[in-house]
Amino acid sequence: MCMKYFDTACDYAMSAENAKLMVFLPKTDREEVKSFILEAEKQWKLEQPDICEFALLLGDKHIGGLTMYFEGDYTRGELGWIIHRDYWGNGYAVEAAQGLIDFFAKKMKLRRFIAHCDAENAASVRVMEKLGMSYVETHGGRYNRSTVGERQEKLYEIRLDGGNNNG
């Protein structure tokens, strides 16, 4: 992600409709989006980043973002995605997330990936299932930025090392 995509990132990251079931979104103003992008750019310069943020492009059009978070020992990656609502339902999240899994499995030898979402986010559940991820659990303790109170969260994982996908 870079400042080149600032305006389009603001469009989906500040949209309550687009981000209502997300923990860190919607962003409250353009400055908050700018700070996020600048921090993502700093992470790219580190030898061992905690997070890698990617702009999702459809041709030359910026339509969303993908994130790969890393655990301290770099044995597991956590996927995240957001797609602009105008592009929902076209399989872009699945295709892009699969690309991240393939890339980080090859580049960093990651063999375990997780993803989670609000229990009511049926679209993200479908993405995880299409990625071949297995359901692990539903638990409480989720607090979305634009919803009130504690929510339920679904956790999925995939292991590329032949291990059990449920633990």
Side-chain angles (χ1 to χ4, degrees):
M1 182 80 68
C2 66
M3 292 305 293
K4 175 180 179 180
Y5 304 117
F6 176 68
D7 288 330
T8 49
C10 286
D11 192 35
Y12 63 75
M14 293 174 58
S15 166
E17 177 191 355
N18 211 96
K20 68 183 175 186
L21 296 176
M22 302 192 77
V23 174
F24 300 112
L25 297 173
K27 299 296 188 192
T28 57
D29 56 42
R30 292 173 66 83
E31 269 307 306
E32 195 176 7
V33 176
K34 181 180 179 180
S35 293
F36 174 81
I37 292 172
L38 292 174
E39 180 57 34
E41 288 178 344
K42 285 181 190 175
Q43 286 287 319
W44 272 104
K45 295 174 183 170
L46 300 176
E47 188 168 321
Q48 290 191 307
D50 295 323
I51 179 175
C52 288
E53 185 73 25
F54 299 85
L56 178 56
L57 303 177
L58 181 61
D60 292 335
K61 178 120 177 105
H62 176 221
I63 65 166
L66 289 109
T67 306
M68 180 67 75
Y69 299 93
F70 303 103
E71 288 189 339
D73 61 0
Y74 288 86
T75 60
R76 181 174 82 172
E78 179 181 332
L79 297 161
W81 51 82
I82 182 168
I83 307 296
H84 188 285
R85 65 191 167 281
D86 291 348
Y87 298 92
W88 287 352
N90 292 296
Y92 299 130
V94 174
E95 184 177 351
Q98 185 64 60
L100 285 187
I101 290 170
D102 295 346
F103 176 79
F104 284 104
K106 184 176 181 180
K107 179 176 174 48
M108 295 179 68
K109 308 295 185 225
L110 291 181
R111 294 293 175 255
R112 184 172 178 224
F113 297 87
I114 65 165
H116 52 84
C117 68
D118 187 287
E120 292 183 24
N121 192 339
S124 281
V125 167
R126 281 192 303 277
V127 169
M128 292 182 274
E129 290 172 348
K130 287 179 180 180
L131 289 169
M133 298 181 111
S134 297
Y135 171 79
V136 176
E137 67 180 5
T138 300
H139 58 267
R142 182 182 179 94
Y143 293 89
N144 296 335
R145 197 161 195 191
S146 65
T147 56
V148 177
E150 182 178 352
R151 311 270 304 169
Q152 294 289 303
E153 176 173 271
K154 292 187 178 217
L155 173 65
Y156 282 71
E157 77 171 348
I158 188 167
R159 291 176 168 237
L160 306 178
D161 59 7
N164 182 349
N165 274 348
N166 290 323

